[in-house]
Amino acid sequence: MSKEVLCSETEKLLFLLPASHHTPKTITSILNNHPEIKFVSLVGVDLGGNDTDEKIPVSLFLKNIDDFLTFGVQTDGSSVVLPEIATLNNAKVDLIPDLSVNWFVDYNFDHIDTLTGLPVGTLRIPSFLVHNGVKVDSRSILFNAVKNFKSQILKLMKDYPYILENLGIESIDEIEDVVLTAATELEFWVKTPDDKADIEQLSTSQVLKEQYWKRTVGPVRTAMEQSLMYLDAYGLEAEMGHKEVGGVKAKLKGNGNFEHIMEQLEIDWKYSTALQTADNELIARDVVKDIFMANGLEVTFMAKPIEGVAGNGEHHHIGVAVKLKNGKMKNLFAPLDMKKDFMNPIGFGALMGLLKNYEVVNPFVTSTNDAFNRLKPGFEAPVCTVSSIGHSPDNPSRNRTVLVGLIRDMSNPMATRFELRAPNPTSNTYLVLASVYQAMLDGITAVLKNQKTSSELELELSKKPGESSFYLEKSRAYRSEHDVFEDYTEEERNSLFGKPPATVWDNLVNLDKYPQKKSVLLEGNVFNEEIINSYKMATLTQWTTELYNRIIPENMEIVRNCKKIHESEYVSDLDVVNWEKINDLRYYLMKDSLHKKSLFTKIREAIDAQDYPTVSNLQLEMRNKMNELNELYTIYKRNLFELKKVRALG
């Protein structure tokens, strides 16, 4: 791709085909008028969050367009993550186009069409994955969740009309549609290729907030500006791009180029309907990655790419409204009097449902080793199942230490929404939103059936552990306006809000540990047992494979690189003691003997035996021991006058 990505020729390019254009006649006309679009790709999203991509020549697509739009194309289960669904002896999977959302054109700026002089484009069509006549993909699960939420909320408002009064609606007949809106954001680290992280410099810069919302310079500024402009071209309506908390200042070389770039950035765009929001995120990732790469920069969306400094979050903003037949919109969370109440009963019910059922939502939010590395106290990442709604109704606040926050704007009731702070860029947004809607609906149903008022529900949400509730669990608290990291000890947090899972296995096992909560996911056939079991298998395989073949080998390299580097004539007794501690740890972690196995070997053997509880416990021990090793080695090096040349850690 040329560095001058946004050239004048982009004005000639087609970026977006809205849903209103998805008829065979219109599609044919548009593609014939844009010969630079050479290929079509049907984009299905499997249960692992992976999106498919293939190149179908436009000429073939147009020749059979009616069949393509109706029947799609066939593939086999080896192409997608659907374990125990698409099996070896029953692997046929169909990709069926979704005509209800925007389609995007993905351009290859490294490949210029000789006839048009424009980059070659691929029309990416969001699609469903169908196996044995049943949709089994992430997009279809969210599609069904939205459909179920809409139908059930209308039924509840009809059965319990007292709620209409809280919304300022006289009759259910005034409602034309229920609108579920969502928004995500994209945090990511960007760096010059091959640069290694200096953890101490990054940590110091983070504590001093030297990079937070500072002015971008050089190629980072160019790539940021181009990304925002491109997102607009794709119809995402970019709202903001800025530096995040992590990073260090880049260095300017004598030739005018920057080096040692290592910064954390965030880009935001406008909210949309739930399914469109998740689709928008896919194109946004591609745009950001391609444009920063064109400017000579590497991008990572990992949740925790650098241990010891801020990770990448991806807060999900969730709102629900109704569209009235007179054209007006009503927020289903906002109260009639914004200064009197935090929310109306539907809003309280939705929040309570999400909190009560979070044990079965969390497996879709936090599903990788990388994600758990991010969720640690001290990095503005939530670890406790607790909410904040503000200190008082007339004074909205933002508590950044909780799992779910209520966002309010006193002058704009339509802006009332929830911010779920736990997701990260590797979370499967389709499954996160689907499980959240199912959980919220459970709480709303309980609230309306009991015909609770806002004031009663505020007291319920604010209850202390040990106090009974008509819906929430007696043993726990669910609201805190405190800084949950500074104002409570870890023991107090666990007692108040429940002990959070620490590994992928801890999270997955909750889908079996809480059958009543899992049944919430199954309501309306949004999720089913086959889908949940397939997801568990996919996540379990990813967890153990990564542990066995990536994390342990990487840790072995770190252990090997912790070498003795002091000379005898410069050594102090402290150096000797420090090195003995380091060496003992190295042996414990990695060295087998005839009579004793190392921690790494124990983990691998537990994985081979499919003893997952043991794997989980040993993984936590390994994490603690590796942190201890790195800290000890840093202290050891600080006390030495001279250092032998050894390869840098990690």
Side-chain angles (χ1 to χ4, degrees):
M1 186 192 294
S2 165
K3 186 176 179 181
E4 300 300 325
V5 179
L6 290 175
C7 57
S8 59
E9 290 177 343
T10 59
E11 297 177 3
K12 306 174 187 177
L13 300 178
L14 175 73
F15 289 92
L16 175 70
L17 266 73
S20 59
H21 289 38
H22 296 169
T23 62
K25 182 179 179 181
T26 302
I27 295 167
T28 301
S29 174
I30 289 173
L31 292 180
N32 284 335
N33 288 326
H34 287 275
E36 71 277 5
I37 302 175
K38 302 291 186 184
F39 303 101
V40 169
S41 176
L42 301 189
V43 184
V45 182
D46 64 24
L47 297 182
N50 309 298
D51 54 307
T52 61
D53 183 47
E54 67 285 338
K55 301 295 181 188
I56 302 169
V58 162
S59 57
L60 179 61
F61 174 74
L62 292 179
K63 183 179 179 181
N64 304 285
I65 188 168
D66 290 305
D67 286 343
F68 265 108
L69 295 181
T70 304
F71 304 110
V73 298
Q74 291 184 14
T75 183
D76 62 62
S78 64
S79 310
V80 289
V81 177
L82 296 169
E84 298 191 356
I85 293 178
T87 57
L88 286 174
N89 63 340
N90 188 12
K92 177 176 171 288
V93 175
D94 299 323
L95 285 87
I96 309 296
D98 183 355
L99 307 184
S100 70
V101 295
N102 294 336
W103 298 353
F104 302 106
V105 183
D106 176 28
Y107 287 100
N108 183 355
F109 286 86
D110 288 328
H111 185 189
I112 304 300
D113 177 34
T114 55
L115 294 178
T116 64
L118 298 173
V120 170
T122 298
L123 177 62
R124 284 173 59 84
I125 302 176
S127 304
F128 300 114
L129 301 177
V130 178
H131 181 262
N132 288 344
V134 179
K135 293 176 181 175
V136 292
D137 61 291
S138 296
R139 295 188 76 259
S140 66
I141 293 170
L142 178 54
F143 181 90
N144 291 337
V146 170
K147 182 179 178 182
N148 182 58
F149 192 100
K150 287 185 175 186
S151 64
Q152 290 303 309
I153 199 73
L154 286 172
K155 183 178 184 301
L156 286 167
M157 287 192 286
K158 183 178 181 180
D159 292 344
Y160 304 99
Y162 90 97
I163 193 61
L164 297 176
E165 209 175 301
N166 287 264
L167 299 170
I169 299 174
E170 292 184 4
S171 168
I172 191 74
D173 295 330
E174 293 182 48
I175 299 175
E176 179 179 305
D177 193 17
V178 179
V179 182
L180 276 65
T181 58
T184 60
E185 59 199 25
L186 201 56
E187 290 183 5
F188 54 97
W189 277 84
V190 56
K191 72 182 188 72
T192 41
D194 300 323
D195 268 346
K196 299 294 183 182
D198 186 320
I199 305 301
E200 288 190 271
Q201 283 192 38
L202 288 168
S203 180
T204 300
S205 178
Q206 178 176 303
V207 171
L208 296 175
K209 296 189 182 295
E210 292 177 332
Q211 296 293 299
Y212 208 18
W213 284 53
K214 293 294 189 291
R215 181 174 178 267
T216 52
V217 297
V220 174
R221 175 177 179 173
T222 301
M224 170 84 80
E225 292 170 350
Q226 290 176 349
S227 296
L228 294 172
M229 294 165 70
Y230 246 79
L231 292 181
D232 273 348
Y234 279 108
L236 271 62
E237 298 184 58
E239 294 185 328
M240 186 186 298
H242 61 85
K243 284 193 179 187
E244 259 294 325
V245 66
V248 290
K249 291 181 180 179
K251 297 179 181 178
L252 185 64
K253 295 194 296 185
N255 61 6
N257 295 326
F258 284 87
E259 64 178 358
H260 299 303
I261 293 171
M262 192 162 292
E263 300 178 18
Q264 189 184 30
L265 306 175
E266 178 180 325
I267 289 180
D268 308 322
W269 53 92
K270 192 176 180 182
Y271 68 88
S272 187
T273 56
L275 196 56
Q276 189 62 65
T277 289
D279 285 346
N280 287 349
E281 186 185 320
L282 292 184
I283 194 66
R285 290 167 182 269
D286 290 341
V287 166
V288 168
K289 201 152 196 172
D290 288 349
I291 289 179
F292 276 82
M293 190 184 304
N295 286 275
L297 299 167
E298 289 183 0
V299 166
T300 179
F301 300 121
M302 288 180 63
K304 193 74 168 180
I306 306 171
E307 186 64 37
V309 294
N312 294 322
E314 187 187 83
H315 306 157
H316 283 34
H317 293 255
I318 301 153
V320 183
V322 290
K323 181 181 179 182
L324 304 182
K325 292 176 181 177
N326 63 9
K328 292 183 179 179
M329 300 288 290
K330 291 276 188 179
N331 189 304
L332 284 191
F333 295 162
L336 282 179
D337 187 343
M338 294 286 288
K339 294 184 177 181
K340 178 185 175 186
D341 296 308
F342 290 101
M343 292 177 282
N344 67 45
I346 289 179
F348 274 107
L351 180 56
M352 291 163 67
L354 176 54
L355 294 169
K356 179 181 178 181
N357 295 296
Y358 194 68
E359 284 90 350
V360 296
V361 174
N362 199 4
F364 303 104
V365 176
T366 309
S367 60
T368 64
N369 292 299
D370 175 46
F372 275 101
N373 287 338
R374 170 179 168 261
L375 297 183
K376 297 175 182 176
F379 295 99
E380 300 181 5
V383 297
C384 304
T385 303
V386 60
S387 68
S388 165
I389 60 176
H391 295 287
S392 66
D394 61 349
N395 184 24
S397 61
R398 296 284 288 270
N399 187 339
R400 298 162 61 201
T401 68
V402 298
L403 173 71
V404 189
L406 173 63
I407 311 298
R408 305 172 73 234
D409 182 343
M410 301 300 291
S411 63
N412 180 17
M414 286 303 298
T416 305
R417 64 193 186 276
F418 300 135
E419 180 186 42
L420 180 62
R421 297 181 58 83
N424 66 83
T426 65
S427 299
N428 184 334
T429 295
Y430 300 94
L431 298 185
V432 171
L433 290 176
S435 58
V436 165
Y437 291 141
Q438 291 291 97
M440 291 197 310
L441 190 58
D442 182 65
I444 294 169
T445 302
V447 162
L448 296 193
K449 281 185 176 180
N450 286 275
Q451 301 194 41
K452 295 290 185 178
T453 66
S454 292
S455 56
E456 289 173 330
L457 292 168
E458 183 185 342
L459 291 174
E460 291 276 347
L461 182 66
S462 307
K463 80 176 194 68
K464 293 179 172 59
E467 294 179 354
S468 297
S469 167
F470 79 98
Y471 177 70
L472 297 174
E473 293 172 1
K474 182 177 180 179
S475 62
R476 292 169 57 179
Y478 292 89
R479 175 190 177 188
S480 176
E481 304 304 332
H482 296 287
D483 182 327
V484 298
F485 301 127
E486 294 294 329
D487 297 340
Y488 306 116
T489 64
E490 181 180 1
E491 184 179 359
E492 288 171 334
R493 289 196 300 267
N494 292 344
S495 175
L496 288 168
F497 315 122
K499 185 177 181 180
T503 69
V504 173
W505 175 253
D506 283 350
N507 224 356
L508 279 182
V509 78
N510 283 339
L511 289 168
D512 297 318
K513 187 177 179 181
Y514 298 97
Q516 285 188 318
K517 296 183 181 184
K518 185 175 75 171
S519 68
V520 171
L521 300 176
L522 305 178
E523 289 291 332
N525 201 32
V526 172
F527 291 83
N528 57 50
E529 292 287 0
E530 187 179 40
I531 288 288
I532 290 176
N533 287 335
S534 183
Y535 177 82
K536 284 165 56 181
M537 285 296 299
T539 305
L540 190 64
T541 299
Q542 180 184 14
W543 171 54
T544 54
T545 302
E546 192 175 51
L547 256 180
Y548 204 106
N549 297 321
R550 182 175 295 166
I551 294 176
I552 290 178
E554 287 175 354
N555 284 346
M556 290 174 71
E557 274 302 295
I558 293 174
V559 171
R560 289 190 180 106
N561 287 331
C562 288
K563 299 177 180 179
K564 179 180 176 182
I565 52 178
H566 63 263
E567 302 290 351
S568 57
E569 61 266 31
Y570 299 120
V571 69
S572 71
D573 53 357
L574 180 60
D575 297 327
V576 173
V577 170
N578 285 339
W579 173 247
E580 287 177 351
K581 290 179 181 177
I582 292 166
N583 211 31
D584 286 345
L585 266 177
R586 293 170 75 227
Y587 271 76
Y588 181 80
L589 284 162
M590 185 173 159
K591 194 73 172 176
D592 291 336
S593 68
L594 288 174
H595 307 291
K596 190 175 182 180
K597 292 177 180 177
S598 69
L599 183 56
F600 294 160
T601 297
K602 289 179 181 177
I603 295 173
R604 281 180 162 153
E605 289 184 347
I607 292 173
D608 290 337
Q610 298 183 10
D611 182 0
Y612 301 126
T614 297
V615 175
S616 178
N617 291 331
L618 292 176
Q619 181 184 9
L620 291 177
E621 184 183 2
M622 177 177 67
R623 187 184 300 165
N624 292 334
K625 294 293 185 184
M626 289 302 301
N627 288 339
E628 184 182 353
L629 178 67
N630 283 320
E631 289 171 7
L632 281 173
Y633 199 66
T634 298
I635 293 169
Y636 166 66
K637 288 193 299 181
R638 280 184 193 149
N639 200 48
L640 299 178
F641 289 128
E642 297 180 10
L643 301 179
K644 292 180 181 178
K645 288 186 178 180
V646 294
R647 284 190 294 170
L649 296 183

